Amino acid sequence: MSSHHFVKEGQEPALLILDRVSYQVAGPLLEWAPLVVVSENVLEHIAAWGIKVDVVLADAKNIDELKKELLDQAPIKILSVEAGDSLLENALHFFTAARQQYVNILLTPVEKDFHEAERFAPGLQISFIDDDIRWSAITSGKYEKWVDVFTRLRVRRISEKQDILTAGLHLTNGHLESTEAGFVSLRSDLPFWVAETHS
């Protein structure tokens, strides 16, 4: 992954792997040789991909053992995470300190994950990606994209009373669906999340 040395630090989206997702999802995100941060619990799964890992989030008591296991990955940084602390929050602190601008997180997010991520925006552009969906934080309050007809989007408000204006979309079975091929837009006075399927 020699392109590590030619890309300006922090410009390409970093990759944080906290869940076991398929290489089919991760592969395209690895093409630009991003900074790769993984949690200790998915190391074995990731090792099968044969990729270079830059940082591992690990339980403090396992660090010495991990250093031996990861000799073939040198140079590598191991970040100590206290038992019970949030891996996601620790990783987002690390990315912020490293002046990273974008991060793709391989994780199926739950409510707590959205809340933790929102605390780090808009300084860090964040997307959650799993085998089916990509959730992107829209910190500007404005989302615009060219889509095909019948493209489906989902929206997650950061406030229950939040108004989101849509154009080119109509509500169908809890999803927003495009009425025709063309630009669609979502606008709000507050940040929000948009989910797109991978299809």
Side-chain angles (χ1 to χ4, degrees):
M1 298 227 165
S2 58
S3 55
H4 251 335
H5 306 290
F6 302 109
V7 181
K8 190 176 174 189
E9 255 338 280
Q11 295 299 305
E12 76 285 4
L15 184 59
L16 172 61
I17 308 175
L18 297 177
D19 261 0
R20 291 170 177 249
V21 300
S22 69
Y23 183 77
Q24 187 178 355
V25 171
L29 303 173
L30 289 161
E31 285 177 6
W32 294 97
L35 176 70
V36 177
V37 180
V38 305
S39 61
E40 174 186 10
N41 62 309
V42 296
L43 259 179
E44 197 175 324
H45 176 68
I46 304 307
W49 298 351
I51 65 166
K52 172 74 178 89
V53 171
D54 299 293
V55 182
V56 177
L57 298 159
D59 190 308
K61 69 178 186 296
N62 299 335
I63 286 179
D64 289 339
E65 190 62 35
L66 270 175
K67 282 180 181 172
K68 295 175 197 167
E69 286 177 31
L70 296 168
L71 282 173
D72 63 327
Q73 285 277 0
I76 190 165
K77 185 179 180 98
I78 301 176
L79 290 182
S80 172
V81 179
E82 294 300 320
D85 280 1
S86 162
L87 289 171
L88 176 60
E89 189 173 353
N90 272 266
L92 293 175
H93 275 299
F94 168 76
F95 290 127
T96 302
R99 301 189 178 205
Q100 192 71 39
Q101 295 175 18
Y102 309 93
V103 60
N104 290 314
I105 303 170
L106 299 185
L107 172 72
T108 302
V110 295
E111 194 75 14
K112 174 174 165 282
D113 300 321
F114 285 111
H115 288 311
E116 284 184 4
E118 284 160 13
R119 287 180 37 225
F120 291 85
L124 191 59
Q125 288 294 309
I126 298 168
S127 291
F128 286 115
I129 302 166
D130 64 20
D131 284 329
D132 303 308
I133 285 179
R134 176 189 190 108
W135 283 100
S136 297
I138 311 302
T139 55
S140 66
K142 177 181 161 187
Y143 171 93
E144 264 187 342
K145 187 174 183 181
W146 177 275
V147 298
D148 290 327
V149 65
F150 304 132
T151 295
R152 287 185 162 191
L153 303 174
R154 284 166 56 195
V155 174
R156 184 184 188 281
R157 293 166 168 78
I158 66 162
S159 163
E160 285 181 20
K161 296 178 180 177
Q162 182 174 0
D163 287 327
I164 297 179
L165 302 174
T166 67
L169 296 160
H170 67 273
L171 197 59
T172 307
N173 298 325
H175 289 83
L176 290 168
E177 192 170 87
S178 57
T179 49
E180 56 187 45
F183 276 105
V184 297
S185 73
L186 299 160
R187 290 169 191 265
S188 178
D189 291 338
L190 295 170
F192 56 91
W193 295 82
V194 172
E196 304 171 42
T197 58
H198 296 312
S199 56

